[in-house]
Amino acid sequence: MNMLHAVVLGALQGFCEVLPISSSAHLILVPWFLKWPESGLTFDVALHLGTLIALAVYFRRDIVQLAVSALDAIATRSLDTPAKRLPFLLLAATVPAGVVGKLFEQTMEEVFRESPLLIATFLIVFGIILGLADRWGRRRYGLSDVKTGSALTIGLFQCLALIPGVSRSGITITAGLMLGFTRESAARFSFLLSLPIVAGAALLKTLHVAKHGIPAGEGLPMLVGIAVSAVTGYISVAFLLRMVQKRSIAPFVWYRLLAGGVVIALVMAR
């Protein structure tokens, strides 16, 4: 790991974790294409700390409001408003991916790291599904319309994000659009839903690093990667939320199709 690799991988994590184009796919495919040495799962997931910082800073007011609403619900023993229900719906929606991730995340990452062709296929397939959901979704529900059933459905879809090429934000936004939510509401719920998952991943890897230590010479590159991930992640969140207010998600769909096609062509050529 050197400084150039750290900056590039940090930028990929920041942009691609937030945008519906799969950060895990890019963190695997770009080093494969450039013939860089393996960065390792610990470094890849450590970059999630940068994404967590970006999300926490951007949604700081939402996080405070969620905490206040949760305390209010507990104090009054009531879930009579959408604001009181939302924190608990987010927690419920997190459970499926949390359980599946704990059991299978490392295995899935290790398996797919050796198969650029499969990753490219998932980029294309789930890009098409995202495009269809964006085109045919009714887009009439807001964040206040989230119910238990829709929250759990989105949470179950999030489990697919363990597969590189699917994209956590992409699959949860797809699910939201399929359920009839507006683009902005689907994207905002997706980002809020990612907070506990990204925080959990960052915490586990931080504990792992604290226990086993950072390999010699990789401390500074890792910090640089996290910082770059945080900055690019913040920019990406702001960009996507503004974009979906006025435009479709089609550019991301076309990007996924193009990127997947290029990777398949390279695999065949090699």
Side-chain angles (χ1 to χ4, degrees):
M1 180 61 58
N2 58 44
M3 297 300 289
L4 174 62
H5 295 180
V7 170
V8 172
L9 295 177
L12 286 173
Q13 170 65 23
F15 282 122
C16 301
E17 176 71 19
V18 172
L19 302 179
I21 54 177
S22 181
S23 62
S24 56
H26 285 75
L27 289 171
I28 294 171
L29 292 175
V30 170
W32 167 79
F33 175 72
L34 296 175
K35 297 183 179 181
W36 285 356
E38 178 69 48
S39 62
L41 289 173
T42 299
F43 182 82
D44 291 353
V45 181
L47 296 179
H48 282 69
L49 180 59
T51 306
L52 176 63
I53 293 170
L55 291 170
V57 171
Y58 190 91
F59 291 105
R60 58 193 182 279
R61 294 178 181 175
D62 298 74
I63 293 171
V64 171
Q65 183 58 53
L66 287 169
V68 171
S69 296
L71 292 174
D72 188 22
I74 294 172
T76 61
R77 298 182 181 181
S78 172
L79 297 174
D80 57 342
T81 67
K84 291 181 181 179
R85 290 191 292 269
L86 184 58
F88 300 99
L89 291 174
L90 288 168
L91 288 176
T94 301
V95 172
V99 173
V100 175
K102 177 65 175 177
L103 295 175
F104 301 110
E105 182 173 19
Q106 185 172 351
T107 300
M108 296 290 284
E109 289 273 5
E110 291 174 350
V111 168
F112 283 96
R113 277 177 178 269
E114 305 301 325
S115 183
L117 186 61
L118 274 178
I119 296 174
T121 301
F122 284 118
L123 273 173
I124 293 171
V125 170
F126 284 92
I128 293 172
I129 295 173
L130 172 61
L132 294 175
D134 186 47
R135 182 179 180 86
W136 291 336
R138 290 173 290 179
R139 298 196 297 273
R140 64 183 185 185
Y141 299 131
L143 206 58
S144 61
D145 297 307
V146 177
K147 301 293 191 298
T148 303
S150 54
L152 290 177
T153 299
I154 296 172
L156 288 170
F157 268 73
Q158 186 175 222
C159 296
L160 295 172
L162 291 174
I163 303 172
V166 173
S167 169
R168 188 186 312 281
S169 64
I171 196 62
T172 49
I173 290 174
T174 297
L177 292 171
M178 286 180 173
L179 292 170
F181 289 90
T182 65
R183 294 187 185 109
E184 184 180 6
S185 297
R188 185 169 288 273
F189 188 84
S190 170
F191 292 145
L192 293 176
L193 180 59
S194 71
L195 277 167
I197 289 291
V198 175
L203 176 61
L204 288 175
K205 287 302 177 179
T206 299
L207 294 175
H208 176 81
V209 171
K211 180 179 180 180
H212 298 283
I214 300 173
E218 291 195 6
L220 182 58
M222 183 175 290
L223 290 176
V224 169
I226 292 172
V228 173
S229 175
V231 173
T232 54
Y234 186 94
I235 294 171
S236 295
V237 174
F239 166 73
L240 184 59
L241 286 177
R242 289 176 184 174
M243 176 182 173
V244 295
Q245 291 176 1
K246 301 178 180 179
R247 302 179 182 178
S248 75
I249 302 177
F252 301 115
V253 175
W254 287 112
Y255 172 81
R256 292 177 66 114
L257 297 180
L258 178 61
V262 168
V263 171
I264 290 174
L266 288 172
V267 171
M268 296 303 180
R270 290 184 179 182

